[in-house]
Amino acid sequence: MFRRVATAVAALSLATAGFALAPAAQAGTSGTEKAWTPPSCQGHRANTAVWVTCKGRGSASQVRMIYECRVLGQVVQHTTEWKSLGARGTRTISAECTFEAVSATGDYQRPLT
């Protein structure tokens, strides 16, 4: 409790002295660089079809699907290639399994620059 009060008092003291931090600096990024926000991805399966739908949440990203198919009793994992996703865009990636679809999940990364 004392530590929280001391931290709040120190922050108020710095703010009144003109040392207020910019929101980007508080987040651990530089003032000119915006923090990257990952997309939200939802995986689906039905019989032999697998697909994932990813939606941008303010930052451009690259997305791919990692999916599993059952072949003769064994589960085999597959991965699609990376696809671009706009900051506010939606991308659906789909594939077909030969026998049975087991699962599909979205994977994402910051765009390569």
Side-chain angles (χ1 to χ4, degrees), residues 30-89:
S30 69
T32 59
E33 178 184 322
K34 184 181 172 207
W36 179 74
T37 305
S40 62
C41 296
Q42 181 69 46
H44 308 276
R45 68 178 177 91
N47 297 326
T48 59
V50 288
W51 68 98
V52 67
T53 302
C54 295
K55 296 179 181 180
R57 296 190 314 186
S59 299
S61 305
Q62 289 187 322
V63 294
R64 67 180 176 180
M65 178 175 62
I66 299 173
Y67 63 100
E68 294 178 333
C69 299
R70 189 177 319 277
V71 180
L72 301 174
Q74 292 191 348
V75 176
V76 180
Q77 189 177 67
H78 303 278
T79 305
T80 64
E81 62 187 18
W82 291 105
K83 306 280 187 180
S84 295
L85 175 65
R88 297 281 178 204

